[in-house]
Amino acid sequence: MLTVQQHSRLGKEILQDCDLAHLTMPQVQSLKQSLWEQGVIVVRKQKLTASQLKDFAIKTFGDTNLGRRPKPFDPEIDPALQSPGVSILGNPKGLTQEVVGKFAWVWHHDKDHLPKTEGLDMNALYVVMLYGVEIPAEGIDGEPHTTNFLDMMEAYQNLERQHRQQLEKQSMYHLSPITPPPGEDIPRKLHPIVSTHKITGRKGLYLGSSTSILQGLEDKPQEAQLYWNDLFATILDCTPVYAHIWQPGDIVFWDNSQVMHTGMPYNANKYKRIALRLGVVNH
């Protein structure tokens, strides 16, 4: 696996010296255009409350509600970090082994949350923004703290032509990665492995996560797991991984129709990490 900190497309910094809480409409349109073109973008040096982040998201992309039940406010966490629909990832209460969001330390698309929302097209443009309020000095490997991304448009192009043609005929079933409450069923939805982006028209791969099941292997879980692992290993072998190095105040946006990502572990007994996460369906 080749990991790079500069990528030809992913990770472009935009809107330097701006305040996302007070963007003009031309700036909003510029941000969205950059996101569709680049797949991953970053705006640095922001100082927003959770409520300001949510207001910005609604102004830019539309409704932020994906059917999630709002959580009650936590009196042990700064109220400025809390707003309905905004998740707090990391260890906001201080040094501890308990990390919120550790399940995201595997490769995945966040669009696998979408089966929880009835009537929503699995090819919908689901954008996630992650705001780094407090950043660990390093990951567990001693390197800078990063979130890693894979360009799935590039991955599609890097595959051999015959392999691309084969994948274009196949689909996978996807489940939400979050376990539902007892007695609640989450529908499983089908998504083509090769899909066409709704705005750019470019083709890319959509793999979900390792729980995805190739259509036709519904009753063969071991074969489905092996198929996913082999396909993902092939992609990793031919596509560089972009590592975004976090700085406090960064807001990273990614288009889940274009990229996979993984959070990277850090020592929560040694460092504090606070990140605000918000997912939106572009309307």
Side-chain angles (χ1 to χ4, degrees):
M1 183 180 77
L2 173 64
T3 301
V4 298
Q5 294 174 1
Q6 291 186 328
H7 189 275
S8 58
R9 195 167 81 94
L10 308 184
K12 180 180 179 181
E13 181 181 352
I14 66 166
L15 298 177
Q16 296 182 11
D17 302 318
C18 80
D19 178 359
L20 289 188
H22 300 96
L23 286 190
T24 64
M25 286 312 298
Q27 287 175 317
V28 165
Q29 293 304 319
S30 175
L31 183 149
K32 294 176 72 171
Q33 183 177 351
S34 294
L35 178 60
W36 308 138
E37 290 176 355
Q38 309 297 144
V40 178
I41 57 174
V42 57
V43 181
R44 298 194 185 275
K45 300 179 181 179
Q46 297 301 297
K47 294 182 179 180
L48 301 178
T49 66
S51 294
Q52 287 175 321
L53 181 66
K54 183 175 181 180
D55 290 345
F56 157 78
I58 293 173
K59 175 182 177 181
T60 304
F61 296 102
D63 185 12
T64 63
N65 183 13
L66 282 179
R68 294 188 182 183
R69 298 182 182 90
K71 295 181 179 180
F73 275 38
D74 190 325
E76 298 182 48
I77 298 177
D78 184 349
L81 297 173
Q82 302 184 69
S83 182
V86 179
S87 301
I88 308 174
L89 305 183
N91 51 338
K93 297 182 182 182
L95 303 184
T96 174
Q97 292 186 4
E98 299 299 320
V99 176
V100 180
K102 188 182 291 187
F103 64 87
W105 292 355
V106 296
W107 285 103
H108 63 287
H109 292 260
D110 282 329
K111 275 206 304 183
D112 275 3
H113 289 289
L114 299 191
K116 300 202 315 181
T117 306
E118 186 176 354
L120 191 61
D121 177 11
M122 273 295 285
N123 207 30
L125 294 176
Y126 184 49
V127 175
V128 167
M129 56 199 76
L130 192 63
Y131 174 28
V133 179
E134 191 164 339
I135 304 298
E138 60 185 8
I140 59 172
D141 55 2
E143 296 296 319
H145 182 60
T146 66
T147 298
N148 292 358
F149 295 91
L150 264 175
D151 186 339
M152 303 306 283
M153 307 292 186
E154 180 182 4
Y156 170 76
Q157 294 297 332
N158 288 346
L159 295 176
E160 295 182 359
R161 182 170 176 267
Q162 186 175 359
H163 197 179
R164 293 201 303 267
Q165 292 176 336
Q166 177 189 6
L167 293 177
E168 287 177 0
K169 302 174 185 177
Q170 297 176 311
S171 296
M172 286 182 178
Y173 288 102
H174 299 270
L175 283 167
S176 170
I178 298 179
T179 304
E184 182 175 317
D185 186 36
I186 295 180
R188 185 170 66 177
K189 288 190 177 179
L190 197 61
H191 195 297
I193 294 178
V194 178
S195 59
T196 301
H197 194 274
K198 286 194 167 184
I199 291 180
T200 68
R202 297 181 64 198
K203 287 185 176 181
L205 301 176
Y206 183 80
L207 302 188
S209 63
S210 60
T211 58
S212 303
I213 300 172
L214 182 70
Q215 189 176 25
L217 297 181
E218 296 89 333
D219 299 323
K220 300 176 180 180
Q222 291 184 329
E223 288 186 34
Q225 178 83 67
L226 183 62
Y227 178 86
W228 193 95
N229 289 343
D230 286 347
L231 177 54
F232 187 67
T234 299
I235 290 167
L236 273 183
D237 191 48
C238 67
T239 309
V241 171
Y242 165 64
H244 173 75
I245 298 177
W246 283 94
Q247 300 177 22
D250 282 359
I251 301 184
V252 177
F253 301 76
W254 62 90
D255 174 5
N256 285 281
S257 291
Q258 300 192 51
V259 297
M260 292 182 77
H261 69 284
T262 179
M264 300 301 289
Y266 68 98
N267 186 346
N269 287 315
K270 186 177 180 181
Y271 299 113
K272 193 174 181 181
R273 177 185 188 256
I274 301 175
L276 302 185
R277 179 200 180 278
L278 188 58
V280 292
V281 175
N282 181 71
H283 294 290

